[in-house]
Amino acid sequence: MPIATLSLHSLGYCCQKSPPFSFKSSFLSKPTKTQFSFAFKTTEKRPFSHIVSMSMEAGIGVMGTKLGMMSFFETDGTVVPVTVVGFREGNIVTQVKTSATDGYDAVQVGYRRVRDKKLTKPELGHLGKAGVIPMRHLQEFRLQSVGEFETGQKLAVEEIFKEGDLVDVSGTTIGKGFQGGIKRHNFKRGQMSHGSKSHRALGSIGAGTTPGRVYKGKKMPGRMGGSKRKIRKLKIVKIDNELRVVMIKGALPGKPGNLLRITPSKIVGKNIPKS
C-alpha cells in the first residue's frame, strides 16, 4: 500500500526543467537506482588492483648482525669510529619474484640459521620448497631486474660491496621505554630554585577556548625508541674476509646483536632513475 507520493515540482526551481513525473515509495519496497539518479551521483566501483608501495633498491643487499663499535686507524694515522658488522650463516636467496607472477620484481633473502622447531610449519614449507636451510629472517629487496638471481644462491658480501662504497643501513633503534619531553624531544626544563614550581613538567599543550583541543602530532611524553631507522650514505672502511666482518664508518641503529639491513646507497641519476 503506498505511503507517500513525491513530485518533482516540489523539489525547487533547479529541477523544474525536467519533465514532471511522480513515483511512489513504500516501506516494503526498496527504491530503484533510476528513481534517485537525479538527486545522487552514482559511481561505478573500480576493480581492485594490487599496489606495491615498497621502495626500489639500488642493488641487492645483505643482512648482518651488529657486533659493536671500535676505533679504526687509517694508513695516515687518522682515527675513524666504525661499527663492526658480522655475518652469520645465511644471506641465501629463498624466492625470486617477477612481474609476471607477483606483480613486481624482487628477491627474497633469508638470514641466520635456526633449528626447525623455532619456525612454524608454513615457514618450514616455504623454505623447504626453495631447498634451503631453516632461517629466522626473511626480507625482500625490490630490484629493477632479477634475471641474474636464482633460488638457493648464496650472496657473498665481498662480491657485492668493496671498500670505499657508500651503503644505506637500516635497523631497529634501542628502546628507551616511556620518557618525558626533555629526553624524548630535547625540551628545556625550568629553574630548579628561586621558588619555581615548573621543573621538568611539559607545560601548556594548547589554548582553552580556541581551538579547545590538542593538535595532532603534539610533542609530548611517550614511548621512545624501538622504531625502524635508516642511516644513508655510510662509508665501508674495511672488509675482513677471514673474520667475516665489515667495518662501517659511524654509528648504526640498535644495540649489539641487532639485525641490520645493508644496501647500496641510492644516488639519483647514477644507480636510481630520476623518474
Side-chain angles (χ1 to χ4, degrees):
M1 183 176 180
I3 303 299
T5 303
L6 180 63
S7 176
L8 277 182
H9 290 288
S10 61
L11 294 179
Y13 177 77
C14 60
C15 298
Q16 289 182 1
K17 296 183 180 180
S18 303
F21 72 96
S22 63
F23 62 91
K24 299 178 180 180
S25 61
S26 174
F27 293 111
L28 301 178
S29 62
K30 296 182 180 179
T32 60
K33 181 179 179 180
T34 56
Q35 290 177 348
F36 290 99
S37 61
F38 65 90
F40 302 100
K41 184 179 180 180
T42 58
T43 57
E44 297 181 356
K45 292 184 178 179
R46 296 181 179 179
F48 175 76
S49 60
H50 181 67
I51 301 176
V52 179
S53 59
M54 187 193 314
S55 61
M56 186 77 66
E57 298 289 354
I60 190 65
V62 295
M63 286 177 282
T65 304
K66 180 177 179 179
L67 301 181
M69 294 195 68
M70 60 174 289
S71 297
F72 179 81
F73 291 85
E74 296 183 347
T75 56
D76 59 352
T78 305
V79 181
V80 180
V82 297
T83 301
V84 183
V85 181
F87 299 93
R88 299 186 179 182
E89 186 176 2
N91 282 322
I92 303 175
V93 178
T94 57
Q95 185 180 4
V96 179
K97 296 187 176 183
T98 60
S99 301
T101 57
D102 300 276
Y104 63 100
D105 296 329
V107 176
Q108 186 185 85
V109 180
Y111 177 71
R112 187 183 172 187
R113 182 170 186 171
V114 293
R115 290 177 289 178
D116 295 351
K117 67 177 185 179
K118 295 293 184 179
L119 302 178
T120 61
K121 288 186 178 180
E123 292 173 341
L124 289 174
H126 173 69
L127 297 175
K129 182 179 179 181
V132 297
I133 59 177
M135 289 175 287
R136 166 66 67 188
H137 307 287
L138 296 177
Q139 290 194 12
E140 287 187 0
F141 298 87
R142 187 180 179 188
L143 306 174
Q144 299 179 3
S145 176
V146 295
E148 57 184 10
F149 300 99
E150 59 182 6
T151 304
Q153 177 182 351
K154 293 186 178 181
L155 303 177
V157 181
E158 58 273 9
E159 296 178 0
I160 300 175
F161 304 106
K162 62 180 184 296
E163 295 180 1
D165 288 351
L166 299 180
V167 294
D168 296 342
V169 183
S170 60
T172 304
T173 59
I174 299 177
K176 303 292 184 179
F178 194 97
Q179 298 297 331
I182 294 179
K183 183 173 182 177
R184 191 185 186 200
H185 301 293
N186 298 320
F187 288 170
K188 293 183 179 179
R189 62 169 176 82
Q191 292 184 347
M192 302 301 290
S193 60
H194 297 285
S196 174
K197 292 180 171 35
S198 176
H199 305 305
R200 299 178 64 93
L202 189 63
S204 175
I205 58 175
T209 304
T210 304
R213 61 185 178 90
V214 179
Y215 286 124
K216 292 184 178 180
K218 174 66 178 175
K219 294 182 178 180
M220 301 179 69
R223 290 285 294 273
M224 180 181 177
S227 58
K228 185 178 180 181
R229 288 291 183 269
K230 176 183 285 188
I231 305 179
R232 302 181 182 274
K233 296 184 178 180
L234 297 177
K235 181 182 177 181
I236 295 180
V237 178
K238 180 70 175 179
I239 298 179
D240 195 326
N241 296 328
E242 295 182 359
L243 298 177
R244 292 180 53 84
V245 298
V246 172
M247 301 180 186
I248 302 177
K249 182 178 180 180
L252 303 182
K255 59 183 180 181
N258 188 40
L259 177 69
L260 298 175
R261 174 189 173 107
I262 307 174
T263 57
S265 291
K266 299 179 183 179
I267 303 176
V268 178
K270 184 177 180 181
N271 51 19
I272 286 292
K274 294 182 180 180
S275 56

